[in-house]
């Protein structure tokens, strides 16, 4: 009897039957798939070996960068490179070494010159002697030629305890930490942050020589201080002046510290030194170095006191009058 086609209404109580051979075949496929995936995944031993190799690579890279750290350099900088001077094409440890050699009293003064730091184009690695463009890491041996590096000033230095930073206003690198200094646009230099609201501005105050030792202050590596009058001087030079009882600015002659105790001693000295009768009516014109006041006072052989600020830091401007 031939079967007839009827419409399937979908009886939910009836489940389709799967033959046993089909089930067995599907299980075998799943087993083979899991085994293949297991073969593709690395074992614990392989993962450990890969991690160890990666760590060794990182350690080796760090060791290469730090090779020779603080073992090379000169009296000015600890660095792992030398520079080729663009002015004379000679090789020096740093620009200060160049300037000391080229401005020595032992050579012809007409040949003396300083190295323009911003024009340096070539450096030589101290470990492999490879000459190359200015860059922090040697292109040949991979060593870091200076932990602090400034591409503008061409400066390399391994001693980062100096807290070097580049000041865009000054156009050069300075030490002491950027957070501890500020750049005054009128003075044209960096000052301690403690002086930000109190220092008297003097235009281009540090773009001059020290009034004692005549070293150019703007690029000096020695400590520079700003006096109450606004002029600048080496700290060591100021201390040396005070050792010789000099307490006035060598530029404008204003007092550099509180001199009230000294002026009291002058009062006592003048009181103990009376002038002879024929000098009692003598008067002189004086200029006070501290307040700038011109005044006429009684002449005395010891000193003349400013009637405005009570300072004895004065100078006589006119002769004696009666």
């Amino acid at each position: 009897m031939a079967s007839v086609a009827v419409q399937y209404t979908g009886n939910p109580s009836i489940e389709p039957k799967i033959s046993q051979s089909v089930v067995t075949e599907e299980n075998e496929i799943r087993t083979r798939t899991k085994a293949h995936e297991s073969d593709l995944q690395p074992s614990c031993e392989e993962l450990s070996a890969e991690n160890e190799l990666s760590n060794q690579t990182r350690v080796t890279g760090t060791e290469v960068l730090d090779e020779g750290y603080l073992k090379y350099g000169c009296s000015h900088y600890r660095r792992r490179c030398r520079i080729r001077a663009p002015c004379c094409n000679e090789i020096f440890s740093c620009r200060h070494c160049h300037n000391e050699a080229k401005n020595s009293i032992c050579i012809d003064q007409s040949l003396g010159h300083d190295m323009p730091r911003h024009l340096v184009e070539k450096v030589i690695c101290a470990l492999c002697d490879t000459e190359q463009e200015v860059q922090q890491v040697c292109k040949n041996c991979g060593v870091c030629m200076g932990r602090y590096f400034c591409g503008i000033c061409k400066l390399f230095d391994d001693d980062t305890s100096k807290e070097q930073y580049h000041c865009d206003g000054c156009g050069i690198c300075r030490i002491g930490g950027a957070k501890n200094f500020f750049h005054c646009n009128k003075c044209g230099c960096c000052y301690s942050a403690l002086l930000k609201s109190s220092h008297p501005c003097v235009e281009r105050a540090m773009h001059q020589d020290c009034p004692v030792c005549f070293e150019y202050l703007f690029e000096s590596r020695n400590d520079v201080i700003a006096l109450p009058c606004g002029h600048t001087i080496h700290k060591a030079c100021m201390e040396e002046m005070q050792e010789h009882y000099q307490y006035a600015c060598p530029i404008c002659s204003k007092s550099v510290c509180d001199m009230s105790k000294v002026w009291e001693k002058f009062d006592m000295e003048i009181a103990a030194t009376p002038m002879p009768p024929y000098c009692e009516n003598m008067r002189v014109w004086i200029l006070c170095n501290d307040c700038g006041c011109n005044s006429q006072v009684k002449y005395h052989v010891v000193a003349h006191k400013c009637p405005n600020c009570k300072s004895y830091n004065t100078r006589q401007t006119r002769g004696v009058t009666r």
Side-chain angles (χ1 to χ4, degrees):
M1 182 179 291
S3 60
V4 295
V6 295
Q7 184 179 3
Y8 177 67
T9 59
N11 191 342
S13 62
I14 301 176
E15 294 181 358
K17 295 183 178 180
I18 303 175
S19 65
Q20 187 64 32
S21 61
V22 173
V23 173
T24 302
E25 183 178 355
E26 288 181 353
N27 290 336
E28 289 178 356
I29 291 172
R30 292 193 187 98
T31 302
R32 287 196 300 269
T33 302
K34 290 181 179 178
H36 180 65
E37 291 176 351
S38 178
D39 292 339
L40 292 176
Q41 293 179 353
S43 64
C44 294
E45 292 79 3
E46 290 174 339
L47 286 173
S48 177
E50 288 180 3
N51 291 335
E52 183 177 355
L53 179 60
S54 177
N55 291 334
Q56 288 178 353
T57 303
R58 285 197 294 268
V59 171
T60 302
T62 303
E63 289 177 351
V64 170
L65 285 172
D66 290 341
E67 185 177 356
Y69 173 64
L70 294 179
K71 295 181 180 179
Y72 296 85
C74 59
S75 60
H76 309 106
Y77 300 107
R78 307 310 299 167
R79 53 177 21 167
R80 285 163 280 178
C81 67
R82 291 164 291 157
I83 57 178
R84 183 176 291 281
C87 44
C88 53
N89 204 36
E90 297 181 28
I91 297 174
F92 293 89
S93 293
C94 73
R95 69 181 186 90
H96 296 295
C97 293
H98 168 277
N99 296 345
E100 289 174 1
K102 294 302 180 182
N103 294 308
S104 171
I105 60 174
C106 300
I107 65 171
D108 186 354
Q109 295 301 300
S110 63
L111 301 177
H113 64 279
D114 290 338
M115 180 192 296
R117 72 179 81 188
H118 299 98
L119 299 182
V120 174
E121 296 180 350
K122 299 289 184 179
V123 296
I124 299 91
C125 176
L127 277 74
C128 67
D129 289 329
T130 301
E131 186 166 351
Q132 56 203 285
E133 302 293 327
V134 175
Q135 54 193 328
Q136 187 173 17
V137 177
C138 176
K139 68 178 183 181
N140 181 48
C141 66
V143 72
C144 177
M145 293 184 282
R147 286 195 175 181
Y148 175 81
F149 169 71
C150 176
I152 299 175
C153 298
K154 314 301 191 295
L155 176 62
F156 299 79
D157 199 349
D158 273 335
D159 184 9
T160 54
S161 65
K162 302 175 186 177
E163 297 186 72
Q164 303 94 327
Y165 69 97
H166 182 84
C167 174
D168 292 326
C170 292
I172 61 175
C173 290
R174 298 199 177 278
I175 61 174
K179 62 182 182 297
N180 299 319
F181 294 87
F182 76 99
H183 182 83
C184 177
N185 292 321
K186 183 175 181 179
C187 297
C189 54
C190 289
Y191 285 123
S192 169
L194 300 175
L195 301 174
K196 191 167 186 178
S197 59
S198 61
H199 83 285
C201 285
V202 175
E203 190 170 356
R204 298 178 63 83
M206 283 181 61
H207 293 263
Q208 61 181 4
D209 296 336
C210 172
V212 176
C213 68
F214 302 110
E215 180 186 2
Y216 188 49
L217 291 173
F218 185 72
E219 296 183 348
S220 176
R221 292 179 292 111
N222 300 315
D223 291 340
V224 178
I225 58 175
L227 301 177
C229 57
H231 294 118
T232 52
I233 187 175
H234 281 132
K235 182 180 180 181
C237 293
M238 189 69 249
E239 291 173 349
E240 185 176 355
M241 285 180 57
Q242 292 177 340
E243 289 176 2
H244 293 83
Y245 308 104
Q246 299 294 322
Y247 300 100
C249 171
I251 298 176
C252 67
S253 298
K254 287 187 177 182
S255 299
V256 299
C257 56
D258 182 11
M259 300 288 290
S260 58
K261 297 296 182 182
V262 179
W263 303 154
E264 290 176 3
K265 291 184 178 181
F266 269 92
D267 286 337
M268 292 186 290
E269 181 69 20
I270 290 175
T273 312
M275 295 294 289
Y278 68 88
C279 295
E280 288 182 354
N281 296 325
M282 289 184 178
R283 301 182 69 83
V284 292
W285 282 91
I286 61 170
L287 169 66
C288 179
N289 294 321
D290 287 339
C291 69
C293 179
N294 282 284
S295 54
Q296 190 178 39
V297 298
K298 290 183 64 175
Y299 171 76
H300 199 282
V301 69
V302 175
H304 301 112
K305 186 176 184 177
C306 173
N308 182 50
C309 66
K310 313 305 180 185
S311 168
Y312 280 97
N313 183 16
T314 60
R315 66 182 75 181
Q316 184 176 330
T317 58
R318 300 184 196 177
V320 178
T321 61
R322 293 182 182 274

